[in-house]
Amino acid sequence: KQWYQRRVAITAGNDPVIGSNCCGALWILAVCDANTAILTEECGLQDICNAMKTHRDIEELVENACSALWSLSMEDENIEIMRDENVISMLVAAIKQHIKAPKVVKNACTTIGGIIYADEMCGLQLLSDDQSIPTILDAFKKHSSNQEVVESMCELMLTMGESEELAAELASYPVVKMLQKAMAEFPCIEDIVQKSEDAIAALNAVTGV
C-alpha cells in the first residue's frame, strides 16, 4: 500500500513538492534489493521518468529523481527499460537545464555512469546526440572547483573511457586536460587522482599517446 501511495503521489502531477519528496523517499528505499524489485514490478521507473518530464524545471524534484534512477539502475530489468526509454538523454537534458545546480549535475552524472557500467549499449546512446558529451563537459568546467561534482565526473569519464566507442569520442575533446586540472585542484583526494589517472590512461590508449 505504501508503494502504491507513493506511485499515486508521483504520478498525480499536481504537486511537485510531493513528487519531489516521494522521489527522495524512493531513492532511499530502493537501495534495498527487495524494495527495488517491488518498485520495478510496480513500474516505478516509468513513474519517476514521467515526474521528471512533467516537472523538468523543478530543481529539487529532478535532483531526487536522478538519485532514484541511480538506485533503480541496480536492477537488470530496469536497465532494459532505461535503454528503451533512452533515460540517458533525459539525464543529459536535466544537466543542461540545471547546469548551475551542482547536486543535479552530480546526481545525473553518477546515474549516467551507473547505467553505462551496467549496460554499454545505454552509454552509446550518448553518441546519438552530438550535444550530449559537450553538455556534460560544460558542466564539468562550470563545477571544476566542487569536489563532489568533480568526483562524479572523474568516475563518469573513467566509465566512459572503458568503452572503446565512447573513449574514442571523448578523446576528441580536451578531457585529458580537464582531468589533469581536476588532479591539480584536488591533489589530496585519492579517489579523484586515481580515477583521473586511470581515465587519462584509457583515453591515451585510444589516441596512441
Side-chain angles (χ1 to χ4, degrees):
K1 184 177 180 180
Q2 289 179 340
W3 287 105
Y4 175 75
Q5 289 173 337
R6 289 190 175 93
R7 283 196 63 198
V8 169
I10 290 174
T11 57
N14 297 322
D15 193 330
V17 175
I18 293 176
S20 176
N21 290 339
C22 288
C23 284
L26 292 176
W27 161 44
I28 295 170
L29 289 168
V31 172
C32 170
D33 290 343
N35 289 340
T36 301
I38 294 171
L39 188 54
T40 299
E41 184 179 341
E42 295 196 5
C43 302
L45 171 59
Q46 292 91 330
D47 295 336
I48 293 169
C49 289
N50 288 336
M52 283 186 71
K53 292 174 184 177
T54 302
H55 301 294
R56 60 175 62 90
D57 57 330
I58 306 298
E59 180 182 321
E60 184 179 355
L61 186 146
V62 172
E63 174 191 328
N64 289 336
C66 288
S67 294
L69 290 173
W70 174 79
S71 295
L72 291 172
S73 70
M74 308 298 176
E75 185 80 15
D76 290 343
E77 184 178 338
N78 285 328
I79 288 295
E80 294 178 9
I81 298 171
M82 288 179 177
R83 187 192 311 132
D84 294 339
E85 296 292 330
N86 199 354
V87 168
I88 290 281
S89 292
M90 186 184 304
L91 292 164
V92 173
I95 292 172
K96 185 175 183 178
Q97 182 159 0
H98 299 281
I99 197 166
K100 294 181 180 180
K103 290 184 179 180
V104 171
V105 171
K106 176 183 75 71
N107 291 353
C109 286
T110 297
T111 303
I112 291 171
I115 294 171
I116 295 174
Y117 182 81
D119 184 78
E120 186 179 340
M121 292 302 297
C122 284
L124 295 180
Q125 291 176 332
L126 284 170
L127 303 179
S128 63
D129 182 350
D130 60 9
Q131 291 304 304
S132 291
I133 291 177
T135 295
I136 292 170
L137 297 181
D138 284 347
F140 194 169
K141 293 175 185 176
K142 183 172 288 293
H143 300 286
S144 60
S145 61
N146 184 303
Q147 180 181 328
E148 290 188 348
V149 174
V150 171
E151 286 177 341
S152 69
M153 285 290 182
C154 291
E155 175 75 32
L156 177 56
M157 296 300 107
L158 175 57
T159 302
M160 293 174 67
E162 292 172 344
S163 162
E164 185 175 341
E165 292 181 67
L166 290 175
E169 182 67 19
L170 278 182
S172 66
Y173 298 94
V175 176
V176 169
K177 290 183 178 179
M178 295 172 70
L179 292 168
Q180 290 171 336
K181 182 179 178 182
M183 290 191 290
E185 180 77 19
F186 301 100
C188 298
I189 307 301
E190 184 177 353
D191 196 46
I192 289 176
V193 173
Q194 186 61 58
K195 285 173 180 172
S196 294
E197 289 178 345
D198 291 345
I200 289 171
L203 294 176
N204 285 343
V206 171
T207 59
V209 175

